[in-house]
Amino acid sequence: MKNSEIADVFDQLADVLEFKGEMVFKVNSYRKAARTLRDTSEDIAVVAAENRLANLPGIGKSTAEKIQEYLKTGKIKKYEEERKGLSDELISMLQIPGMGPKSLALIHSRLKIDTFAALEDAIHSGRLAELPGMGEKKGENILKGIQLLREASKRIPLGVALPIAEQVLDEVRKFKSVRRAELAGSLRRMRETIGDIDILASASDHKKAIEAFAALPQVKRVLAAGTTKASVIVQGNQQIDLRVVDEECFGAALQYFTGSKEHNIKLRDIAKGLGLKINEYGVFRGDKKVGGKEEKEIYEAIGLQWMPPEIREDRGEIEAAKEGSLPALVTSKQIKGDLHVHSNFSDGRATLEQLAEQAEALGYKYIAVTDHSQSLKIARGLTPERVEQKGKEIQKINSKLKSLKLLLGTELDILGDGGLDYPDKLLEKFDWVVASIHSGFKQPREKITRRITSAMENPFVDCIAHPTGRLIGQRSPYEVDVEELLAVAAKTGTAIEINANYDRLDLDDIWCKRAKELGVKLAIGTDAHHLDHMNMIRLGVAVARRGWLEATDILNTLPLKKLRQKR
Ligand SMILES: [Zn+2]
Ligand SMILES: [Zn+2]
């Protein structure tokens, strides 16, 4: 699908136009088109072929033509023309979080800066701070933004990598020469960001497998293709490496290439102590191979239980495996509902009926429809009257549903002064209340922490959503004392969310483990604003698993009756 590719070009075009001081409505029209493209689950090429582009929100005649042009030629002439005379590096500086096209235009015209190095230099030397409207604080923010951008450009979010990888993995499994194939590396461990995608396969004929891989339609460019390994670039400039091994070594290679490095170093040390050697080909005593076809043989050879890839980070899993006390990690199948979704009552795209339909398709027993509260006007937050209307509609829909219940929920805004956006007498009418911060991100640590903990003290608040506010690769967490949040949550019995949106994954794995130690319950929510987003629940489950969480640690493994008793 070319949807996100074209959306990127529209966004870049909007950036360039804004940089050049073009009129706001023109800039916004491209941004709107980009958003629509990203939100459309249908393949845009199909929509275009059937002449339905104009039916999409935010797509006018001229943007529709540009989409057609890109589908035909792989380019948009308007973008190529507008960016003429601007260097690639200058254009990529538009991606710095916290910079903005207007600031960059000012910096470019006044200081003649068009490289990252020159920009950093101007900030350090204080020249940037002298520009109108800049100041030292802005300079610091830009430096932080450059740092985030550097990290992000090296790694891509799990939620982006996973679908690309699984699609290619499916193809590899269909090759005639291939017996088994699995994802490896940090992707198999479900880390929140991924470097390159690694696929491992066993094959009767290595060369044939490599050739078939390089010839896949997804492949845009072949970087290298040898006798056992190939590296290719697929859409989105993502690199995928395929390694082919003999069937007898598959388990050992899978263990070896899954990592993590720290985990594997420890395993090899244990093996050495037992007079064994572990490598990518197997487990050996002297020259004799004692295992390696299956991954579990590696662990068993050194007296350990096999363990799920998500916890192979040398965070105590090897010691736990030795004692036989590994956690029984939560699985996607155990999740009975989604506790954070938005409907078109606020800023979601789907109707209540559509959400119910999707939830049934996912096999859920309940979903909490947590639309925004009244202060969040940009997200069409609900007035008390609209809440009442929504409650009635939910009742009507629920009366027709068999195995599913929609829960009347809200994503309650925690206001800048720590107050809550609805009074208690309205809050008590909800089935599920998640409270969260959407403003005042720059407040000092004590203040933000206090805002959240005072929300926890309200008996009607069930859960704190996206507790640190970070956006992976785009925005650092706001200053918040997470240890304090967890301590208070343990006392008040408030759940903490694992927001499963791939940009957020908030709370993260490390804090999840700490939450469990403190006896805090977690709730997984996708924060879906679109039906497709509900599938991201698996990313939340992955974070939970990486945080050693079991079904009993997670509220949405409970049947509805038990969940209600928790309130
Ligand atoms: Zn939110
Ligand atoms: Zn939300």
Side-chain angles (χ1 to χ4, degrees), residues 12-26:
Q12 284 155 10
L13 177 55
D15 284 344
V16 169
L17 291 177
E18 206 174 346
F19 173 83
K20 293 170 114 182
E22 188 56 87
M23 277 184 297
V24 179
F25 79 91
K26 281 200 182 161

Side-chain angles (χ1 to χ4, degrees), residues 340-342 346-347 370-372 376 411 434 436 438 465-466 497 499 504 526-529:
H340 186 165
V341 304
H342 294 267
S346 64
D347 58 347
T370 52
D371 287 301
H372 290 287
L376 215 59
E411 179 169 7
V434 298
S436 58
H438 295 102
H466 45 76
E497 179 178 76
N499 190 296
R504 292 189 181 271
T526 58
D527 207 349
H529 284 72

Side-chain angles (χ1 to χ4, degrees), residues 1-63:
M1 277 205 342
K2 294 236 154 69
N3 298 30
S4 64
E5 240 174 275
I6 304 177
D8 286 347
V9 181
F10 278 143
D11 265 336
Q12 284 155 10
L13 177 55
D15 284 344
V16 169
L17 291 177
E18 206 174 346
F19 173 83
K20 293 170 114 182
E22 188 56 87
M23 277 184 297
V24 179
F25 79 91
K26 281 200 182 161
V27 173
N28 284 347
S29 72
Y30 291 118
R31 295 226 190 276
K32 222 185 257 168
R35 197 172 326 135
T36 297
L37 282 165
R38 289 206 178 86
D39 281 348
T40 303
S41 48
E42 227 182 325
D43 188 340
I44 201 68
V46 175
V47 180
E50 293 172 0
N51 274 324
R52 287 187 286 114
L53 285 174
N55 299 349
L56 294 174
I59 305 283
K61 186 164 164 271
S62 114
T63 38

Side-chain angles (χ1 to χ4, degrees), residues 295-336:
E295 194 177 46
K296 70 176 196 316
E297 295 169 7
I298 308 298
Y299 289 96
E300 283 167 0
I302 56 173
L304 300 179
Q305 283 174 274
W306 176 90
M307 62 192 86
E310 292 95 329
I311 58 171
R312 298 182 194 170
E313 299 288 349
D314 189 22
R315 292 181 190 151
E317 74 279 7
I318 293 169
E319 293 73 11
K322 237 185 245 171
E323 293 168 8
S325 64
L326 284 170
L329 301 182
V330 62
T331 64
S332 287
K333 272 204 189 111
Q334 291 171 319
I335 301 296
K336 297 202 164 56

